[in-house]
Amino acid sequence: MGAILQVFYSAFSAALLSLAIPNEIFYLGFPLASLIALIPFYYALKNCRNYKLAFLCGFTQTCVTHILSSFWLANFMDFAAFTLGASAFGTGVIGGIFGVILFLPYNSSKKQNRLLDSSLEQNFSGTRDFKVLYFAALYTLYEWVKSTGYLGYPWGTVSSALYRWSVLTQIASITGTYGLTFLVALFNAILGERILVPSATRQTNPRLEDFLARPAASLRMYFRPSEKVFILLFSLAIVYGTWQILKPRVPQKYLTTIMVQQNSDPWHEKSDHDSILRSQRLTLEKLQELQLAGKQADLVVWSEGCLHKAYPYSFNHYRIYPGEKPLTDFIKEIDLPLLAGGRFIKNPQKGEVNNAALMFDSKSNMRGYYGKNHLVPFAEALPGREFPAVRKFLKEKLRISAGWTPGDQYVFFDVPGKWNQNRLLPPAKYIDLSNSYSTQLSQEEKAPTVRISTPICFDDAFPDVMGKLFKYGSELFVNITDDSWSLKKSSEIQHFVIASFASIEYRTTMLRSSNSGYSCVISPTGKVLADSPLFEEYALSYDIPVYQRETTVYARLGNWLPLIILFLFTIYCVTEYFSFEESDYIPSERKIKKHKKTNSKHKK
């Protein structure tokens, strides 16, 4: 019965966390629920009897969280049940392993307390403060492990529940999202100790007269060291976040961009005929609006997968297709660069095809492409697909023809934009002697270019992609994506929330153009500057602000926080191992009882 109860607590924790994460009830999440979501899980682990039960609790909490928050994965085309089921099982296994790891200090303290009849409170590794910090650190490490690498899936995390608390989320530019996870997990563990530990074992509460006489000393006595650590970190986070929110940021340049949301699902369309015509219509309508307002657009962006025929072998196709208005003629008509999601055949002999962002100049020439680097495992990236026999098997036996080749380089496009006339000029001036004095233009007179990068869909959730795009010079992230297949608003918003952290982490504006939403413009503080409604045809235009590049702590050091936690955890494991070796002489509980019985017989 006790085991069932602990598993129930773990499932209840998952339900609370799923309520905190953006969902179908609270589209932007319910962050207050995150402050208590991990308490039942903490209680369950603390009261586990053995490692098997700890594994089961960890498996339940993480697997159920995944299913409840990412249930829309069941709509994933040919892979529906496999994508949701396999990913939930994999997440649960990772969570189960961490359940065992999280149980370590509780298990060792119980054993030694029984055998030695002494308290580990004299040793810091056995104190409640250590266990609270240990839980927060290891839960943070769990979210990093599940979000990293080829199988990484950074959905269903504690940090994604905190988007509404913009002041707190600003620390992502220092710690990434894992600083948020650590703070919330620490608060849950502290609150869990306050609620669950019997009052007799709590630190003595100061009397009112003592508090009035010596408030500082009374507060020091009331708060445990771990609670003081939380108060300090939380206070610093609030101060830093407030400064970042209020900090004046003056754009250096603007890129007036039209983002087209044609509200179509390319997976269920036999051709791109209707979606191209719809995108053309929406683009022209928005261009007319800008013309009436006396503005000139600089760039048009169509979402991921809107062009079905693969380049470079489809140039002639789109010269006559669609018949009502061929794509190449349309680009020449609007006389603007067009960024569109499509396909690019890298190597036809090996079947290597990129999920690509294709850039066309104003004369309809394709100037280059970027191939999606981080593919969705077991959906876009199929193991063994590079072999002809495997491709044949997948197509004939499983009827799976999908599968992409990951991009092998980072590509940037310099798009002409506009200066901000009120910008702060740099303190230096450079004079180009390659031109004659009469024809030379000053820096203020030259039209600026904005260096954009084009992360595709899943790319925007991974620092190994976004970090390199920033380091190599991106001034603006232009993310194209297709989440229309999910059919759920929570899916669209969850992806947006995860993408928005990249804007904060690198203090770089992000433009998102999605098939059905959530298309928007995100500021370097994560604020939405302009957006489109979900699952509607819509064209959004905005003067995208481009700021002076700012190298944040996170951009420089990456995920330093979970790496430090991993290092400290390794030291803890080594220390515990040698401590156990040194105490091998301590007999087991069974041997102690047997020894007592033997002694009593000898006495008789």
Side-chain angles (χ1 to χ4, degrees):
M1 186 64 183
I4 296 175
L5 194 59
Q6 307 314 323
V7 173
F8 170 78
Y9 286 142
S10 301
F12 182 56
S13 171
L16 287 174
L17 183 56
S18 300
L19 184 67
I21 295 167
N23 55 78
E24 294 297 312
I25 301 174
F26 303 102
Y27 289 144
L28 289 175
F30 185 44
L32 280 174
S34 69
L35 300 182
I36 59 172
L38 297 180
I39 293 177
F41 181 51
Y42 181 79
Y43 179 80
L45 285 173
K46 187 173 181 178
N47 290 277
C48 284
R49 295 193 303 268
N50 51 52
Y51 288 114
K52 290 182 180 179
L53 184 54
F55 179 90
L56 186 58
C57 287
F59 181 93
T60 302
Q61 198 270 347
T62 54
C63 181
V64 174
T65 298
H66 180 87
I67 292 174
L68 293 179
S69 61
S70 297
F71 67 95
W72 37 264
L73 283 173
N75 296 325
F76 198 90
M77 206 164 110
D78 300 328
F79 309 91
F82 175 79
T83 302
L84 178 59
S87 60
F89 179 79
T91 302
V93 170
I94 296 172
I97 294 172
F98 271 88
V100 172
I101 295 172
L102 286 165
F103 179 59
L104 283 174
Y106 298 105
N107 186 63
S108 62
S109 66
K110 288 176 183 177
K111 282 185 177 180
Q112 295 195 36
N113 277 329
R114 287 199 305 266
L115 297 176
L116 302 179
D117 193 26
S118 63
S119 174
L120 280 180
E121 295 291 330
Q122 298 172 357
N123 183 353
F124 180 68
S125 65
T127 64
R128 292 189 181 90
D129 290 312
F130 172 80
K131 293 170 185 175
V132 163
L133 292 168
Y134 180 88
F135 176 83
L138 267 294
Y139 195 88
T140 302
L141 192 63
Y142 152 73
E143 289 203 345
W144 175 64
V145 169
K146 78 177 284 289
S147 304
T148 304
Y150 170 75
L151 296 176
Y153 185 73
W155 271 249
T157 56
V158 169
S159 56
S160 62
L162 302 181
Y163 173 77
R164 289 179 181 269
W165 292 350
S166 57
V167 172
L168 195 59
T169 59
Q170 300 308 306
I171 65 170
S173 64
I174 299 176
T175 64
T177 58
Y178 302 108
L180 297 168
T181 299
F182 180 81
L183 280 178
V184 173
L186 181 58
F187 181 82
N188 274 265
I190 289 172
L191 192 59
E193 283 290 335
R194 283 280 177 177
I195 294 173
L196 304 174
V197 177
S199 58
T201 62
R202 293 182 191 164
Q203 198 146 327
T204 305
N205 295 339
R207 294 180 300 174
L208 179 61
E209 54 270 24
D210 294 336
F211 178 78
L212 294 175
R214 297 190 303 167
S218 299
L219 286 175
R220 283 197 299 270
M221 179 177 65
Y222 181 73
F223 290 112
R224 288 185 171 277
S226 58
E227 296 169 347
K228 295 174 184 176
V229 169
F230 171 79
I231 292 171
L232 175 63
L233 294 177
F234 180 77
S235 300
L236 291 174
I238 292 299
V239 171
Y240 176 77
T242 303
W243 173 62
Q244 286 292 341
I245 292 291
L246 299 179
K247 178 181 177 180
R249 287 184 168 85
V250 180
Q252 295 293 302
K253 296 173 274 191
Y254 288 103
L255 191 70
T256 304
T257 308
I258 296 175
M259 295 146 275
V260 175
Q261 181 175 297
Q262 75 272 29
N263 194 30
S264 64
D265 186 352
W267 289 3
H268 294 93
E269 291 183 337
K270 293 182 179 179
S271 72
D272 52 6
H273 178 276
D274 292 341
S275 64
I276 290 177
L277 292 178
R278 193 180 304 119
S279 299
Q280 290 177 356
R281 173 175 55 81
L282 292 169
T283 302
L284 291 173
E285 289 175 356
K286 189 55 65 174
L287 282 171
Q288 290 173 1
E289 288 183 20
L290 288 173
Q291 187 176 6
L292 291 174
K295 291 185 176 182
Q296 174 64 42
D298 301 312
L299 176 67
V300 176
V301 181
W302 292 359
S303 61
E304 177 190 13
C306 60
L307 302 182
H308 289 195
K309 296 295 182 179
Y311 280 83
Y313 302 103
S314 58
F315 284 110
N316 292 330
H317 172 77
Y318 285 113
R319 285 176 181 170
I320 60 174
Y321 182 89
E324 295 87 335
K325 175 71 72 173
L327 179 62
T328 54
D329 290 348
F330 172 77
I331 297 174
K332 292 176 182 178
E333 178 184 335
I334 63 175
D335 195 27
L336 290 170
L338 171 68
L339 177 70
R343 308 175 187 185
F344 191 90
I345 299 177
K346 182 180 176 182
N347 189 323
Q349 287 75 27
K350 295 183 178 180
E352 295 181 351
V353 183
N354 291 140
N355 181 358
L358 310 168
M359 177 62 83
F360 302 89
D361 64 19
S362 59
K363 306 304 178 185
S364 77
N365 301 307
M366 197 191 82
R367 300 297 296 273
Y369 77 98
Y370 164 78
K372 183 176 181 180
N373 270 253
H374 199 114
L375 302 177
V376 180
F378 302 108
E380 293 180 318
L382 301 175
R385 189 184 179 277
E386 62 273 17
F387 302 107
V390 175
R391 292 200 301 273
K392 183 178 179 181
F393 173 79
L394 291 172
K395 188 172 184 178
E396 294 182 358
K397 302 298 182 182
L398 302 181
R399 295 182 180 180
I400 296 175
S401 59
W404 305 96
T405 301
D408 56 4
Q409 61 181 337
Y410 297 97
V411 182
F412 303 86
F413 304 101
D414 291 343
V415 181
K418 307 178 184 72
W419 287 118
N420 175 14
Q421 300 303 318
N422 298 321
R423 72 189 185 283
L424 298 175
L425 294 177
K429 183 177 182 179
Y430 303 93
I431 299 175
D432 183 5
L433 297 182
S434 62
N435 296 318
S436 64
Y437 178 80
S438 58
T439 60
Q440 180 177 318
L441 295 176
S442 66
Q443 183 181 0
E444 289 75 16
E445 295 172 318
K446 290 180 181 178
T449 58
V450 177
R451 179 157 293 175
I452 70 171
S453 57
T454 56
I456 302 174
C457 193
F458 213 45
D459 277 341
D460 61 15
F462 293 91
D464 60 323
V465 176
M466 302 302 290
K468 290 176 182 175
L469 291 176
F470 174 81
K471 288 180 180 178
Y472 293 159
S474 180
E475 297 178 298
L476 173 66
F477 296 136
V478 180
N479 172 234
I480 59 174
T481 188
D482 170 27
D483 293 326
S484 57
W485 54 267
S486 69
L487 307 178
K488 298 298 178 182
K489 294 182 178 180
S490 59
S491 165
E492 310 278 4
I493 299 301
Q494 285 176 21
H495 193 173
F496 148 73
V497 167
I498 292 169
S500 71
F501 280 111
S503 290
I504 300 173
E505 288 166 346
Y506 304 103
R507 297 297 178 196
T508 302
T509 309
M510 177 181 289
L511 175 162
R512 299 190 78 240
S513 182
S514 177
N515 278 0
S516 56
Y518 182 48
S519 300
C520 60
V521 179
I522 309 171
S523 77
T525 59
K527 179 182 178 181
V528 174
L529 303 177
D531 62 351
S532 300
L534 292 173
F535 295 104
E536 292 183 22
E537 293 181 14
Y538 198 86
L540 174 68
S541 65
Y542 197 76
D543 296 332
I544 312 293
V546 180
Y547 299 91
Q548 186 74 28
R549 281 167 48 82
E550 173 186 349
T551 303
T552 62
V553 173
Y554 184 79
R556 191 179 299 276
L557 301 179
N559 287 321
W560 59 270
L561 179 59
L563 290 174
I564 287 178
I565 292 174
L566 180 61
F567 174 73
L568 294 176
F569 173 67
T570 303
I571 293 177
Y572 167 74
C573 289
V574 171
T575 304
E576 287 295 303
Y577 173 78
F578 283 108
S579 298
F580 178 77
E581 290 292 321
E582 291 173 2
S583 59
D584 271 349
Y585 66 88
I586 299 176
S588 65
E589 195 171 7
R590 183 180 298 177
K591 288 182 178 179
I592 291 175
K593 290 180 180 179
K594 186 177 180 180
H595 181 67
K596 287 182 178 178
K597 289 181 180 179
T598 305
N599 285 343
S600 62
K601 287 181 180 179
H602 283 303
K603 288 179 180 178
K604 289 179 181 179

